[in-house]
Amino acid sequence: MKNNPRVSVIIPTLEEERFLPLLLADLCAQTFEPYEIIVVDGGSRDRTREVATPVAQVVEHVPGVGGQRQRGGERATGDVLVFFDADVRLAPNTLRQLIRSFQEKRCEVACPRYWPVSSTRAIRAVFVFFNVMFWLLQKVVPSGAGPCILVTRSLFQQSGGFRTDTTYDDIAFVRRAARFGSFSILPVVVRVSDRRFRREGTAWVFCTYPVSYTHLRAHETKANLVCRLLLE
């Protein structure tokens, strides 16, 4: 990888006029300037596209975060693709730290540590649990979450990108990409919103991860079986 890689930031959006301006302002204040910012909007009826236009390329796509991430990745021209959710917040040095750690670890796909911007003790405990679990299992079951994923453009293309047939497109992408390139959990914190926890309930969100693991493992098993049948 280049010493100073071109970094493409991709942000899928849908009705994000409240949070997107904050993330865009954070990106404009970074000490490491992104090469391009691509906002892939899923048909927002609020001012999302309007607030994105001054600083980002705005691409329209049918709703569905997996498809939106995929479209943004296909549109990107940078050496490293960084996928952010619209409600992420970044300290001024976060992008520089992410890219530096990404290069130092010589990985091709990676996720940071996630931490809620401001939250309850119970939700913070869930974040601690998942951060520890992701780190401990990174070489066994690579996992991460959609708020922030880094990948080289070459590996993104080689892996086939994001799936559009599952709610867990982020986890599915990380695991598939890790089969083709090296994966790592970066020692960098990215601050994320806890609005899903507050909307759906902490216990419910906590329990969805085992469900996603089982769902994806079943899909992978079926896919492997089909491949074996075709090759025999």
Side-chain angles (χ1 to χ4, degrees):
M1 189 189 302
K2 301 176 182 177
N3 291 329
N4 293 298
R6 298 181 303 174
V7 174
S8 298
V9 171
I10 297 117
I11 309 167
T13 60
L14 181 63
E15 317 290 359
E16 293 288 1
E17 67 175 2
R18 175 185 172 191
F19 289 98
L20 183 62
L22 301 175
L23 174 56
L24 293 177
D26 288 348
L27 287 168
C28 290
Q30 291 298 297
T31 58
F32 184 100
E33 183 179 359
Y35 174 69
E36 60 187 354
I37 302 173
I38 302 171
V39 170
V40 186
D41 188 65
S44 296
R45 293 174 292 178
D46 61 6
R47 299 178 59 252
T48 296
R49 291 191 295 274
E50 181 181 340
V51 300
T53 300
V55 296
Q57 303 175 39
V58 179
V59 179
E60 295 188 25
H61 194 275
V62 295
V65 68
Q68 289 172 249
R69 287 177 176 137
Q70 178 65 20
R71 182 69 185 94
E74 293 170 347
R75 182 72 174 264
T77 59
D79 305 302
V80 178
L81 313 186
V82 182
F83 295 87
F84 285 128
D85 279 354
D87 55 6
V88 162
R89 297 303 309 273
L90 306 173
N93 208 35
T94 300
L95 192 56
R96 181 179 297 277
Q97 291 174 336
L98 286 169
I99 297 304
R100 179 185 300 159
S101 182
F102 191 74
Q103 292 180 306
E104 288 175 350
K105 287 183 172 291
R106 299 181 182 276
C107 51
E108 296 168 272
V109 57
C111 294
R113 297 171 182 171
Y114 308 100
W115 192 249
V117 174
S118 61
S119 194
T120 65
R121 182 177 299 179
I123 293 175
R124 289 196 298 270
V126 172
F127 274 85
V128 170
F129 172 82
F130 281 119
N131 281 326
V132 171
M133 184 178 66
F134 288 163
W135 182 78
L136 288 174
L137 298 178
Q138 61 183 301
K139 301 303 181 184
V140 181
V141 185
S143 294
C148 180
I149 299 173
L150 294 83
V151 63
T152 62
R153 184 156 63 98
S154 59
L155 182 58
F156 174 83
Q157 295 170 339
Q158 181 183 5
S159 67
F162 289 87
R163 284 168 49 184
T164 60
D165 61 342
T166 177
T167 306
Y168 313 109
D169 64 286
D170 48 359
I171 303 173
F173 170 73
V174 167
R175 292 183 183 167
R176 186 166 63 256
R179 297 177 193 163
F180 297 93
S182 58
F183 171 79
S184 184
I185 295 293
L186 306 180
V188 181
V189 173
V190 169
R191 296 178 296 165
V192 304
S193 170
D194 68 352
R195 57 178 171 168
R196 183 184 174 195
F197 287 83
R198 294 181 183 272
R199 182 178 64 245
E200 300 178 11
T202 304
W204 174 257
V205 176
F206 179 80
C207 292
T208 57
Y209 186 81
V211 173
S212 70
Y213 178 83
T214 303
H215 171 81
L216 292 173
R217 289 295 296 173
H219 183 277
E220 292 167 358
T221 301
K222 292 176 182 176
N224 292 339
L225 176 60
V226 170
C227 290
R228 288 199 300 268
L229 291 174
L230 291 174
L231 292 173
E232 290 178 354

